[in-house]
Amino acid sequence: MTLDLEFVRSQFPAFREPSLAGFAHFENAGGSYAAAQTVDWLDRYYRQTRVQPYYVFSASARAGEQMDDAKTRLAAWLNASADEVHFGPSTSQNTYVLAQALRRLLKPGDEIIVTNQDHEANVGAYARLADDGLVVREWKVDPVTAELERKGLEALLGPRTKVVAFTHCSNVVGSINAVREFTDLAHGAGAWAFVDGVAFAPHGLPDVRELGVDAYCFSLYKVYGPHLGALYMRRELNEALPNQGHFFNDALPGKRFTPAGPDHAQIAAVNGVADYMDAVAGHHGLGGKPPAARADGVRSLFRAHETALLQPLLDFLVQHPKVRLIGRTRAADRAPTVAFTVKGQSSAAIASALAAAGFGVGVGNFYAYRLVKALGIDPDDGAVRVSFVHYTSKDEIDRLLQELARCLN
Ligand SMILES: Cc1ncc(COP(=O)(O)O)c(C=O)c1O
């Protein structure tokens, strides 16, 4: 079975939007287009149920039900329980809240491992706990391959390690890390595994139970949805960490790690992500399957399409004499998030040339500042990043390759 691209693209208003005609979106790792279902949910919520939710009057009760449904449905796609899923304003905010909880729980001398492959959202909040007497250790990438190696983690784990925070997929390197293996290592040392899934989730929602992680963060605005951060927390972790919400809500698992309070409409619009994923599953004959199997099926469809489109891009970059490609060269080993630098040309100039030709690509350090520095790249100019997802077409890739051939000189 292959992904029906015509069907997929018909689900995204951006592809019919006159002001975007001719534009090719290759900055999906920054933010994806929203599915029509997401836009519809937001519109409907604001028209019909934009009142304080969870009272007994009709519009209010409906608003609350929609918010609860969003959580239940996203949880099903992740193979989690509804009370294990929390919505915050962003992933950066969610990791900040987790770090505040750790600050109160852990004792001076306890250890946290962070990586220099991660986006700063999964590093800085934990690294700052050094100010409270915690010992922060850095699991470093190999500076040539940009990979996190198992032996690097093994060397850092010890009897006082409490948390290992690492990424499922770097938003610059693109490698898909061995989350289960690293999580098992962390658990073997008695530590929790906190995983940043922001750069992975757009390519297929993960099965968090299969990964075995304790906390998993991702950003719904990169997964065809509203601007929210989703935080999965294993129930036992929720129970072990001190409440970060109002004291009188301490007994309510869903309120303990969302001190900012929910954005009602955006939460309701997470139903749009579930509707979109259901539509893809249904269209490809996966509709009758249990949620975890449906998620697995959609993930495979997305991955197969992306991998086929990715290999020619990697091949082009690898053979170009002036390009330094960051990360693996085999499409099957990585996400379609591809960063590179070019000898003799600034990354900013390349991004500008591509923008002038109708291609939206990313440029800079992508807040993976520590990684970019570790790779010997100037973090102010950074790298060019071309990132796409399952709705990208072969025609868009072909046009991008032609344009790259022209502007990388
Ligand atoms: C890999 C990765 N982690 C974390 C974040 C931060 O997410 P948010 O913008 O929701 O705080 C980003 C944002 O680009 C990211 O790419």
Side-chain angles (χ1 to χ4, degrees):
M1 195 185 359
T2 55
L3 188 71
D4 180 348
L5 196 64
E6 203 178 319
F7 171 79
V8 160
R9 287 169 79 97
S10 74
Q11 307 295 299
F12 287 87
F15 292 118
R16 299 186 294 280
E17 166 57 37
S19 66
L20 292 171
F23 171 70
H25 184 17
F26 280 103
E27 218 316 79
N28 291 278
S32 68
Y33 285 150
Q37 293 85 342
T38 301
V39 179
D40 289 349
W41 268 99
L42 273 177
D43 180 70
R44 201 162 47 234
Y45 190 94
Y46 271 98
R47 286 176 197 283
Q48 298 179 358
T49 52
R50 228 216 80 130
V51 293
Q52 180 68 358
Y54 297 112
Y55 286 125
V56 289
F57 59 91
S58 164
S60 174
R62 269 179 41 231
E65 277 162 23
Q66 290 165 2
M67 290 168 65
D68 290 348
D69 285 351
K71 211 176 242 199
T72 306
R73 295 177 70 197
L74 185 66
W77 274 91
L78 299 171
N79 198 15
S81 304
D83 64 3
E84 293 177 313
V85 172
H86 314 267
F87 296 120
S90 64
T91 290
S92 303
Q93 175 87 20
N94 284 339
T95 54
Y96 184 83
V97 172
L98 281 176
Q100 293 309 304
L102 290 175
R103 195 161 69 85
R104 286 190 37 218
L105 182 76
L106 301 185
K107 309 263 177 310
D110 283 345
E111 298 176 12
I112 295 188
I113 297 174
V114 295
T115 85
N116 68 351
Q117 196 191 51
D118 272 87
H119 183 287
E120 192 64 13
N122 201 39
V123 182
Y126 305 125
R128 225 172 277 143
L129 297 176
D131 297 345
D132 298 277
L134 300 188
V135 177
V136 179
R137 302 195 184 282
E138 192 179 64
W139 177 13
K140 292 184 171 53
V141 292
D142 178 315
V144 177
T145 63
E147 299 289 339
L148 286 173
E149 305 289 355
R150 176 192 170 100
K151 59 180 185 306
L153 176 57
E154 282 170 334
L156 295 175
L157 286 167
R160 295 208 65 177
T161 312
K162 302 297 178 197
V163 174
V164 182
F166 64 96
T167 185
H168 195 165
C169 174
S170 147
N171 64 335
V172 173
V173 185
S175 313
I176 296 168
N177 286 326
V179 172
R180 181 75 217 205
E181 184 185 334
F182 297 160
T183 296
D184 287 348
L185 269 176
H187 287 169
W192 285 311
F194 288 7
V195 175
D196 178 342
V198 174
F200 180 87
H203 310 293
L205 293 170
D207 183 326
V208 290
R209 284 216 199 297
E210 203 172 274
L211 294 176
V213 295
D214 301 289
Y216 190 97
C217 294
F218 62 97
S219 304
L220 286 150
Y221 68 94
K222 302 182 199 259
V223 191
Y224 324 112
H227 199 118
L228 281 180
L231 165 63
Y232 159 78
M233 278 175 87
R234 212 151 56 80
R235 193 170 291 135
E236 294 79 359
L237 178 65
N238 186 325
E239 286 164 4
L241 291 178
N243 176 24
Q244 300 300 301
H246 298 314
F247 74 91
F248 45 81
N249 286 331
D250 188 31
L252 303 173
K255 292 199 185 285
R256 300 180 80 245
F257 297 95
T258 52
D263 181 323
H264 306 147
Q266 310 245 32
I267 291 176
V270 175
N271 280 298
V273 177
D275 283 348
Y276 172 62
M277 295 291 174
D278 280 342
V280 173
H283 184 79
H284 294 86
L286 299 163
K289 302 221 181 258
R294 237 183 309 152
D296 190 45
V298 170
R299 226 173 16 244
S300 301
L301 282 168
F302 285 4
R303 286 285 299 149
H305 175 77
E306 292 170 358
T307 305
L309 262 52
L310 176 57
Q311 196 60 58
L313 173 63
L314 294 175
D315 292 346
F316 169 85
L317 293 170
V318 167
Q319 60 73 39
H320 195 289
K322 292 193 177 156
V323 168
R324 174 184 175 193
L325 169 69
I326 301 170
R328 300 178 190 165
T329 58
R330 221 173 65 99
D333 297 335
R334 60 179 294 163
T337 299
V338 182
F340 59 91
T341 55
V342 182
K343 205 190 255 169
Q345 281 177 277
S346 77
S347 298
I350 292 165
S352 297
L354 288 168
F359 297 88
V361 302
V363 63
N365 59 55
F366 311 104
Y367 284 18
Y369 190 94
R370 297 166 200 257
L371 172 72
V372 167
K373 277 205 87 157
L375 298 180
I377 298 167
D378 167 15
D380 291 332
D381 188 41
V384 180
R385 182 176 71 182
V386 170
S387 57
F388 66 92
V389 293
H390 67 285
Y391 54 53
T392 304
S393 68
K394 180 165 182 317
D395 175 61
E396 285 168 329
I397 296 281
D398 289 345
R399 287 196 286 126
L400 175 72
L401 288 177
Q402 274 175 19
E403 194 56 35
L404 282 173
R406 210 180 55 78
C407 71
L408 306 188
N409 43 56

